Amino acid sequence: MRTTADAPQGGAGFSTFREVCRMTTLSRRTVYRYLARKIFPEPRRLPGGKLIWRTQEVLDWMNRLWAGADRA
């Protein structure tokens, strides 16, 4: 599991699909599945169709998962 210190240091706090997959250790296919089920942060679409995520939203999502796992 990556931490905030390991987060990509992109310009305005955004991460590409590749960076999101690295941060979360999820495959692209799994990210798409989670998006379809509305259980993953929504990306923003840039002109040309490229998807990006707010890095902090992804990190918060990961932290919520781990917080829930600690209670189980």
Side-chain angles (χ1 to χ4, degrees):
M1 174 59 107
R2 298 186 88 160
T3 63
T4 306
D6 298 327
Q9 301 301 313
F14 289 94
S15 297
T16 64
F17 213 135
R18 180 175 290 179
E19 291 168 334
V20 166
C21 289
R22 282 190 192 135
M23 279 192 316
T24 61
T25 70
L26 299 174
S27 69
R28 290 176 71 90
R29 184 174 181 171
T30 299
V31 171
Y32 278 124
R33 285 181 186 154
Y34 286 3
L35 286 170
R37 293 173 56 196
K38 307 278 189 213
I39 59 173
F40 196 77
E42 285 294 319
R44 278 65 173 171
R45 190 171 297 276
L46 296 176
K50 184 174 183 172
L51 296 178
I52 59 170
W53 283 260
R54 289 187 186 269
T55 302
Q56 192 59 52
E57 288 179 5
V58 176
L59 293 172
D60 291 345
W61 177 82
M62 291 168 52
N63 288 331
R64 284 192 305 274
L65 284 179
W66 280 103
D70 289 343
R71 285 184 250 146

